[in-house]
Amino acid sequence: MRLTTKGRYAVTAMLDLALHGVEHPVSLADISGRQDISLSYLEQLFAKLRRNNLVSSVRGPGGGYRLSRGGHEIFVAQIIDAVNETVDATGCGGSADCQQGEVCLTHHLWCDLSEQIHGFLSKISLSNLVERREVQTISARQNARSHSHQGETLALTEL
Amino acid sequence: MRLTTKGRYAVTAMLDLALHGVEHPVSLADISGRQDISLSYLEQLFAKLRRNNLVSSVRGPGGGYRLSRGGHEIFVAQIIDAVNETVDATGCGGSADCQQGEVCLTHHLWCDLSEQIHGFLSKISLSNLVERREVQTISARQNARSHSHQGETLALTEL
DNA sequence: TTATAGTTGATCAAATTAGTCGGTTATTGC
DNA sequence: GCAATAACCGACTAATTTGATCAACTATAA
């Protein structure tokens, strides 16, 4: 079981897409600016998201990424699976040969836990997240921030 | 959120204690033999388990470790917390300053997930595990194996 | 007094994570 | 056609974590 910045970044970036990519594709540079994730790192993550058919890309100026289907059809578990390979909590990857070809003492416990986590994250879609009030609030804050950043050069020349 | 061999080893070792340490303390060498965990590594893990008051130790010959309290009062979540520092799924460790002092877009999602995992593992005690049929079966297999390896010095003291 | 077994600390190889860099391809608008 | 844009790709790196080893020490039972 791995849940690190990698998976968190991926979900955050996908949520950013769901919030801003309704009409036109969103560039990784935009996501990078809003979510404070390194552009090069985003490229790596989106390569995997693309291979897993979660996003589609548009090249050239004005291009970027968009969700490959509606936000209500994309679930957090799928995003984490895409970048993390697995959300499995067992050591044997479910193959039940943890101790010299046989199951170890705690194998079933980790199976149950994996099922629990996966069940939880499989029920949460991007649309579910978008609808949440906190997400709306934070997103509004981020938009304000990125706008004020763009105007920063202007503000300086005014002084 | 980290759940790796470390946490799994710790829970497995504690379950071994619950199974074998009812009457007399169990040495790490015994656990190492039964569960295929390196002795030196077990020492590290048990140092943490001891600091967290999950086990008590008895030095000298015939010594070893025993559970610090009944198996029904020790929960899987406590064991993993003890060796892994945290079962938290957020990047900020719950302090809600993930993005330049403010909460990031997915903060609440990771909070919910943490709660979910912790809730699940907090309800499972060592006694719960001991009672499970698969655990009984696997334990019996392990005893058979270690007896055939070591002879029957243990069998006499157990009678 | 000797063997046992916990205790501590230093160290280490391998793996993984997070991130960088440089270059390439495709596409758009001028 | 050409320049700007932005996806795409692969190699590479630094830092961290994991899993493990080793050596030295202390307490204790027989």
Side-chain angles (χ1 to χ4, degrees):
Chain A
M1 163 81 210
R2 295 181 288 230
L3 182 47
T4 61
T5 338
K6 198 189 224 170
R8 282 194 292 267
Y9 278 178
V11 176
T12 304
M14 288 291 281
L15 182 52
D16 187 280
L17 256 193
L19 285 162
H20 296 95
V22 191
E23 286 152 36
H24 45 84
V26 179
S27 74
L28 294 188
D30 286 355
I31 300 180
S32 171
R34 271 191 299 263
Q35 308 302 337
D36 291 330
I37 305 172
S38 122
L39 176 60
S40 314
Y41 200 41
L42 277 176
E43 286 179 357
Q44 276 183 53
L45 299 180
F46 272 78
K48 294 188 178 187
L49 294 173
R50 191 166 165 275
R51 261 177 253 134
N52 282 264
N53 280 316
L54 294 174
V55 296
S56 59
S57 61
V58 182
R59 286 182 159 209
Y65 288 93
R66 50 164 54 108
L67 300 180
S68 64
R69 50 186 183 273
H72 55 282
E73 292 179 80
I74 297 181
F75 298 90
V76 175
Q78 299 174 316
I79 301 172
I80 294 180
D81 279 346
V83 297
N84 259 19
E85 316 248 54
T86 174
V87 209
D88 196 273
T90 63
C92 53
S95 59
D97 53 356
C98 349
Q99 192 181 20
Q100 302 181 347
E102 312 232 42
V103 293
C104 73
L105 205 51
T106 46
H107 177 80
H108 294 85
L109 172 64
W110 311 124
C111 280
D112 290 354
L113 175 61
S114 304
E115 213 170 295
Q116 188 79 8
I117 297 172
H118 208 268
F120 179 73
L121 295 178
S122 296
K123 288 189 192 81
I124 302 175
S125 69
L126 287 178
S127 298
N128 290 152
L129 293 176
V130 169
E131 286 156 17
R132 286 170 67 154
R133 170 170 289 192
E134 327 95 45
V135 171
Q136 302 267 349
T137 313
I138 298 164
S139 179
R141 187 195 80 212
Q142 291 178 337
N143 288 337
R145 190 175 71 118
S146 69
H147 288 152
S148 73
H149 275 196
Q150 284 166 11
E152 229 164 43
T153 37
L154 277 171
L156 279 168
T157 54
E158 277 171 26
L159 287 172
Chain B
M1 162 82 208
R2 292 182 289 231
L3 181 48
T4 62
T5 338
K6 199 189 223 171
R8 281 193 292 266
Y9 278 177
V11 176
T12 303
M14 287 292 280
L15 182 52
D16 187 280
L17 256 192
L19 285 161
H20 297 94
V22 190
E23 286 152 34
H24 45 84
V26 179
S27 74
L28 294 188
D30 284 355
I31 301 181
S32 171
R34 271 191 297 265
Q35 307 302 337
D36 290 330
I37 306 172
S38 120
L39 176 59
S40 314
Y41 199 41
L42 278 175
E43 287 176 357
Q44 275 183 53
L45 298 180
F46 273 78
K48 294 189 177 186
L49 294 172
R50 192 168 163 275
R51 261 178 251 134
N52 282 265
N53 280 315
L54 293 174
V55 296
S56 59
S57 60
V58 182
R59 287 181 160 209
Y65 288 93
R66 49 164 53 107
L67 300 180
S68 64
R69 51 187 182 274
H72 55 283
E73 291 179 81
I74 297 181
F75 298 90
V76 175
Q78 298 174 316
I79 301 172
I80 294 179
D81 279 346
V83 296
N84 259 23
E85 316 247 53
T86 173
V87 209
D88 197 271
T90 63
C92 54
S95 58
D97 53 356
C98 350
Q99 193 182 20
Q100 302 181 348
E102 313 230 42
V103 294
C104 72
L105 204 52
T106 46
H107 178 81
H108 295 85
L109 172 64
W110 310 124
C111 280
D112 291 353
L113 176 62
S114 303
E115 212 170 292
Q116 188 78 9
I117 297 173
H118 208 269
F120 179 74
L121 295 177
S122 296
K123 289 190 191 80
I124 302 176
S125 69
L126 287 178
S127 298
N128 290 153
L129 292 177
V130 169
E131 286 157 17
R132 286 170 68 155
R133 169 168 290 191
E134 326 94 46
V135 171
Q136 302 267 349
T137 313
I138 298 164
S139 178
R141 187 195 79 211
Q142 292 178 337
N143 287 336
R145 194 173 67 118
S146 70
H147 284 156
S148 69
H149 279 188
Q150 295 174 359
E152 49 217 300
T153 31
L154 274 170
L156 278 168
T157 55
E158 275 172 26
L159 289 172

